[in-house]
Structure formats: structure tokens, C-alpha cells
Amino acid sequence: MNLPDNRNTSVYFALLVCCVLTLAVYQPGLSGDYMFDDNSNLLSNQALAIESLDLHELSNAAFSSRAGNLRRPVSMGSFALNHYFFGVDPYSFKLINLVIHLLTGLALFLLARLIVDSYRQLHNTALSPRIARWLPVAVCGLWLVHPLNLTSVLYIVQRMTSLSSLFMVCALCLYMIGRRKKLAGRHGLSFILTGFIVFGGLAIFSKETGI
């Protein structure tokens, strides 16, 4: 019978605490209204007010933005779906932004863990296992509550930035997994290409910063 690893349980509990703390920190701001570019990009954009999940309506909504050379269809599509399922209440838009922020934090935890484990394995085997376990938690926690990320959560239209960041971090995670597999003599190119093409593409079409 395999008993659970208490060290990993502590790490996952700490991640849960980081997420709950982030929810508590952002809760007061979720009741805020639309502001600045939210009005021109979201409220005044009638294409986002889709009435069905018809492909034509979704396509029109996704390519309805004039912001950026690529028109940011992934982000605009997410706003359209947000409008379809939850209406125009800004609370729901901000809440989805917060969920994206939490997912990015957890993806950063995974990325940091992959990097630290690789560093420990390839360059510094004497690195403390305790540091290897808890440094990724610290990275995740700092990201989640850092004031720098405030506008990308509570400024609704900045979901474009948050989505791009989420997909970029996912792409980097797949790159690290692929590299680790190749170093172990296994096939890892499919992970690298999936990260580069699929998640890299999603990042770029969320906002051009993904490039």
C-alpha cells in the first residue's frame, strides 16, 4: 500500500492557501464597474452580444476588434462567450479574469518546478530538496498577489494580456517537458511543437505580446 507523500500534500495545501488568499485580495475589486477602454472595446461593440453559439456569430465577435494587427480573436471570442453565458454584468467578466489569473499562477508553479528540478538534476545535485519543493510555491504565490497584476485582473479588457500570459506559460511548460524527455533519450519533440504552435498561437491571437 502506497501512503501519500506528506511533503507533497503540504505543497499542494500551500498552493490552495495562495489561491484562497488571492481570492480574498481581489474580492473587493470584483464589484467595480467598466472603465476606460472597457467601454469602447466591450460595451459599444454590438458584435459581442451574441444570441447563440452559431459559428458565424462567434466568428464575427472574435474578429470584431480593431485593436492590434491580428485583431485578437481568442480574447474577443472569450468576451463574447462571457456575454452569452453571464450577460453584461461586469462582475462576471472580472471573475473570469481572476480565474485566468489563478490558472496562470498554477501554470507558473509547474514551470518553476520543472526548471528547478532540471537545474537540480543537471547542474546542482546538492540543491536542497526542500528548496526544490518550496521555491515554485513562492514563485506562484508572489505572482498571484503581486500588485503589478492588478490591472490585468480588474481592468476587464486587459484579459487580452492575461490570456496571452497564460498560454505563453503553458507553452513554456510543454517546452520544458519536451526538453526533459529528449535529455532522457525519449521523444519530446511533439511536446515542444505543441507548445510552440498551439499554445504559442493562442497567446499571439490573444494579444500580440505573445510573439
Side-chain angles (χ1 to χ4, degrees):
M1 178 179 177
N2 293 324
L3 297 175
D5 190 331
N6 289 330
R7 293 169 299 184
N8 282 334
T9 301
S10 298
V11 166
Y12 297 139
F13 179 75
L15 283 175
L16 178 61
V17 170
C18 288
C19 290
V20 171
L21 176 62
T22 304
L23 287 168
V25 167
Y26 277 100
Q27 177 60 36
L30 296 180
S31 58
D33 205 348
Y34 294 95
M35 62 179 69
F36 305 125
D37 293 352
D38 290 341
N39 294 300
S40 58
N41 284 281
L42 304 178
L43 285 179
S44 300
N45 186 349
Q46 294 303 312
L48 295 180
I50 60 175
E51 298 180 354
S52 71
L53 298 180
D54 175 74
L55 186 59
H56 179 69
E57 275 199 83
L58 283 171
S59 178
N60 283 342
F63 289 95
S64 63
S65 174
R66 295 295 180 268
N69 294 328
L70 301 177
R71 303 175 70 175
R72 306 175 184 178
V74 174
S75 297
M76 297 307 294
S78 79
F79 289 132
L81 291 172
N82 210 142
H83 184 286
Y84 177 78
F85 286 107
F86 305 109
V88 296
D89 184 1
Y91 182 89
S92 66
F93 283 89
K94 292 173 186 281
L95 184 61
I96 297 299
N97 282 12
L98 180 55
V99 170
I100 293 168
H101 181 62
L102 289 169
L103 291 174
T104 305
L106 295 175
L108 277 170
F109 164 77
L110 176 59
L111 178 61
R113 192 171 210 180
L114 289 166
I115 292 173
V116 172
D117 285 349
S118 296
Y119 174 75
R120 184 165 178 257
Q121 178 184 348
L122 300 172
H123 300 287
N124 186 4
T125 55
L127 181 69
S128 165
R130 184 180 179 84
I131 293 176
R133 282 196 307 274
W134 289 101
L135 182 58
V137 177
V139 169
C140 173
L142 285 172
W143 164 268
L144 288 175
V145 298
H146 199 288
L148 182 67
N149 295 311
L150 179 69
T151 55
S152 61
V153 176
L154 298 182
Y155 184 5
I156 297 173
V157 78
Q158 286 302 317
R159 178 183 301 180
M160 297 173 177
T161 300
S162 295
L163 275 177
S164 185
S165 299
L166 172 60
F167 293 132
M168 281 192 285
V169 176
C170 289
L172 289 170
C173 286
L174 286 173
Y175 173 80
M176 284 297 301
I177 292 171
R179 287 287 293 159
R180 284 162 62 95
K181 285 183 175 292
K182 287 177 71 67
L183 288 172
R186 292 178 287 166
H187 296 291
L189 185 60
S190 60
F191 286 90
I192 295 173
L193 290 177
T194 299
F196 180 73
I197 296 171
V198 177
F199 286 96
L202 288 170
I204 292 169
F205 286 106
S206 294
K207 192 173 182 178
E208 290 78 6
T209 48
I211 295 172

